[in-house]
Amino acid sequence: MQNFQGVGVSPGRIIGSVRQMPKPVSEPPSGERLAAAASPEDAVAGLKAAAQSVHDELKRRADGATGDGKAVLEATALMAKDTMLLKSATKLINAGSSPERAIWEAGASVSEMLHNLGGYMAERATDVLDVRARIVAELRGVPAPGIPSSTTPFILVAEDLAPADTATLDPGLVLALVTSGGGPQSHTAIIARSLGLPAVVAAHGVDSIADGSEVYVDGAAGFVAVSPSEEQRSAAAAWAETSATLASFDGNGTTADGHLVPLLANVGGAKDAVAAAGLGAQGVGLFRTEFCFLERDTEPSVDEQAAAYKAVFDAFPGKKVVLRTLDAGADKPLPFLTDSTEPNPALGVRGYRTDFTTPGVLERQLSAIARAASESEADVWVMAPMISTAEEAGRFASLCAAAGIRTPGVMVEVPSAALTAATVLREVGFASLGTNDLTQYAMAADRQLGPLAELNTPWQPAVLRLVQLTVEGAALEASGRGSSPKPVGVCGEAAADPALAVVLTGLGVSTLSMTARSLAAVGTVLKTVTLEQAQELARLALSAPSATEARDWVRAKLPVLEELGL
């Protein structure tokens, strides 16, 4: 039996057949020539046949897809028969290029041209690059890149998943995700939690598992086994029964002794918000506004933004919706706002800092937010990402006041903000801990890198201490005013881990925000401990010498996790 140990990022115990994600298509060698025995006419005919085959396969998959995935597949299918692309490749073949090299170079030229045109045409530039890779794969007789096509459910094994890959990921067919790369805060981890799929990342060696092999995946323990044992089969069967217990949430986040811990949802748009409300979320703790800006060459108008924001607010009438202003930069570059030449973008002009270099964008966004809030019944709070100093917090609060926004706040994701929380909170009404970035910056570990997965976990005692310092800073600031502390919530992925949610509650965090599918599990586990017990577990985690021991020590004190397969 082959066993693989990785990092568990989304709970669940499942057994299924493996489908390996095809490796990325490599670039044909520069200057690769047409084979001596081949004629240009035959090569062109072969290229057109390959393009037609790619078109037909994408169209077939589009016919069976829905929503965004369907749109992505239909657009890519059309590009496979693009006249300009095929004519450019034909010219290169007639000049002596191999079909693979010809379509590669033609794809690069057409993609660049579309990108320069901007707008809708620029959005098609990536479709061209996807199509050329698929055509090269067809010419070589190797599997096409992207999520494998299948009519039966499977466990997807990959090096990692890119954001574009998830557009065609069907949670009705994919039973679980396993990657050899990535980390606990990688895109794969986040998408798995949002879809409710068991997932293990940073499991070195899983790319050696043969297609069709039956495997057991434990998304909580981070364990993968080929040829499951009877014990593992029983565990998977028990999980299937237990998961029904976690299928609902009564809408009340509370400890066993009645201490209230509102459980909120992280959302990216109206569709997410409606789904979160249906799953019992008590509000929104993180409304990511990037969806309105991404894949655009120009800034959306105030009218466009206001309409998009209002659609989210309307899903939670009378409830709190915490909106994060544009968090552009690093892994979310925007052509009109960020500098693609920055040597270290994670430490560069991102989040609130973009207002230093491109003033006006933030103020227009705040204007749109204020308009949408005035036309909605939601209780709208607004926070800025990447705040590092009290001075920045004060300036952001002033911008909010000028726009008519009543409740300004800050994201605590830079260690300096945690260390100076008392002075930062003098300037604003609340703070929300973004544990994904806070962990990355505290541990100096890129959250996308598999080799650093052990460092990049919010179970790190150093990260938990920063959470504690932020809560203590809020209490210190309140003592100066003689009133109760301003709210300090957590909206990073840490809140979606039921065991860590207990620890965060014990540290004094006031609200927890997570992917909506995690609400039931977190709510169920919270109800099994008193506030005093949560505080004891928080002290235990802080005293641990490592993240692994912190997690293991706390989980050992929470037998309900094993009972529920979490």
Side-chain angles (χ1 to χ4, degrees):
M1 180 189 296
Q2 281 183 292
N3 295 333
F4 302 89
Q5 186 64 51
V7 178
V9 295
S10 185
R13 293 166 178 165
I14 200 83
I15 289 175
S17 295
V18 162
R19 289 298 304 275
Q20 287 278 355
M21 184 100 150
K23 302 295 183 187
V25 174
S26 60
E27 178 179 352
S30 178
E32 185 177 74
R33 307 295 291 172
L34 188 63
S39 70
E41 292 78 16
D42 288 344
V44 170
L47 174 66
K48 289 181 177 179
Q52 183 66 49
S53 179
V54 168
H55 168 273
D56 293 347
E57 170 61 13
L58 290 170
K59 187 67 171 63
R60 184 188 67 76
R61 293 178 65 177
D63 290 342
T66 58
D68 292 341
K70 184 180 183 72
V72 168
L73 288 165
E74 287 177 339
T76 311
L78 286 174
M79 196 57 71
K81 296 181 71 175
D82 181 70
T83 304
M84 183 185 305
L85 177 66
L86 295 177
K87 279 186 175 179
S88 297
T90 297
K91 286 182 180 179
L92 292 169
I93 291 173
N94 288 332
S97 243
S98 71
E100 293 90 339
R101 186 64 199 179
I103 194 66
W104 194 269
E105 291 184 11
S109 298
V110 173
S111 176
E112 182 179 5
M113 183 198 70
L114 292 175
H115 182 77
N116 291 337
L117 288 173
Y120 173 81
M121 299 307 292
E123 294 174 17
R124 303 280 66 81
T126 53
D127 295 336
V128 178
L129 300 182
D130 185 12
V131 158
R132 77 169 182 183
R134 291 176 180 277
I135 294 174
V136 169
E138 183 71 20
L139 289 167
R140 290 175 174 172
V142 299
I147 305 294
S149 179
S150 177
T151 57
T152 57
F154 61 94
I155 291 172
L156 179 62
V157 178
E159 180 180 344
D160 202 0
L161 293 182
D165 293 325
T166 60
T168 58
L169 193 158
D170 181 356
L173 284 174
V174 178
L175 300 170
L177 297 175
V178 178
T179 64
S180 59
Q185 312 303 339
S186 65
H187 181 76
T188 299
I190 293 170
I191 197 67
R193 286 187 283 259
S194 71
L195 294 175
L197 294 175
V200 176
V201 301
H204 180 69
V206 291
D207 47 4
S208 66
I209 301 175
D211 257 12
S213 299
E214 188 178 46
V215 300
Y216 166 76
V217 175
D218 186 331
F223 181 74
V224 180
V226 180
S227 301
S229 65
E230 287 306 314
E231 182 181 358
Q232 289 162 349
R233 292 183 186 280
S234 297
W239 163 257
E241 294 179 11
T242 302
S243 59
T245 306
L246 301 175
S248 62
F249 170 55
D250 65 8
N252 293 298
T254 178
T255 58
D257 54 343
H259 174 71
L260 296 179
V261 189
L263 301 184
L264 314 175
N266 297 343
V267 306
K271 183 179 177 181
D272 290 349
V274 171
L279 289 170
Q282 294 173 265
V284 172
L286 173 62
F287 171 17
R288 303 180 180 96
T289 58
E290 290 75 48
F291 79 98
C292 205
F293 292 79
L294 294 176
E295 297 185 2
R296 296 182 60 127
D297 288 328
T298 58
E299 177 189 348
S301 69
V302 170
D303 289 344
E304 286 179 281
Q305 292 185 56
Y309 303 152
K310 183 176 182 299
V312 172
F313 299 162
D314 287 348
F316 288 93
K319 295 183 178 180
K320 180 167 75 172
V321 176
V322 182
L323 179 149
R324 179 180 70 190
T325 56
L326 181 59
D327 189 18
D331 60 340
K332 297 184 286 286
L334 291 175
F336 61 88
L337 193 60
T338 52
D339 180 3
S340 62
T341 65
E342 282 186 343
N344 195 344
L347 299 179
V349 180
R350 60 168 297 199
Y352 169 77
R353 299 173 180 181
T354 58
D355 199 52
F356 302 165
T357 55
T358 315
V361 176
L362 176 58
E363 289 178 82
R364 287 187 288 275
Q365 183 179 26
L366 292 174
S367 175
I369 295 166
R371 182 193 301 179
S374 70
E375 298 171 354
S376 167
E377 297 177 21
D379 180 17
V380 178
W381 297 19
V382 182
M383 60 185 180
M386 288 294 288
I387 291 292
S388 303
T389 67
E391 182 182 15
E392 290 175 355
R395 181 174 177 273
F396 178 70
S398 297
L399 291 173
C400 286
I405 293 168
R406 296 191 304 273
T407 313
V410 298
M411 289 280 288
V412 175
E413 48 199 343
V414 179
S416 64
L419 295 169
T420 60
T423 54
V424 168
L425 279 166
R426 286 177 197 159
E427 306 294 338
V428 292
F430 71 99
S432 186
L433 287 143
T435 52
N436 301 7
D437 272 322
L438 183 62
T439 302
Q440 173 176 241
Y441 293 131
M443 304 308 296
D446 189 323
R447 69 193 205 191
Q448 303 294 331
L449 294 181
L452 302 181
E454 290 187 11
L455 285 175
N456 211 322
T457 166
W459 279 102
Q460 287 288 350
V463 176
L464 297 177
R465 177 66 177 133
L466 288 171
V467 174
Q468 183 184 48
L469 286 171
T470 305
V471 173
E472 290 174 352
L476 180 61
E477 188 277 335
S479 67
R481 291 182 290 107
S483 61
S484 57
K486 294 174 181 176
V488 174
V490 168
C491 64
E493 293 296 319
D497 179 338
L500 195 46
V502 171
V503 170
L504 295 170
T505 299
L507 289 173
V509 166
S510 53
T511 61
L512 297 169
S513 189
M514 64 206 74
T515 178
R517 289 181 179 270
S518 298
L519 290 167
V522 171
T524 299
V525 173
L526 269 180
K527 284 186 171 70
T528 67
V529 297
T530 64
L531 178 59
E532 183 178 353
Q533 288 171 329
Q535 291 168 339
E536 290 174 1
L537 290 174
R539 287 191 288 270
L540 183 65
L542 282 168
S543 70
S546 72
T548 299
E549 287 166 295
R551 182 177 184 272
D552 290 349
W553 290 359
V554 169
R555 289 183 64 86
K557 299 285 186 179
L558 292 170
V560 66
L561 296 171
E562 180 63 26
E563 293 169 14
L564 295 175
L566 299 171

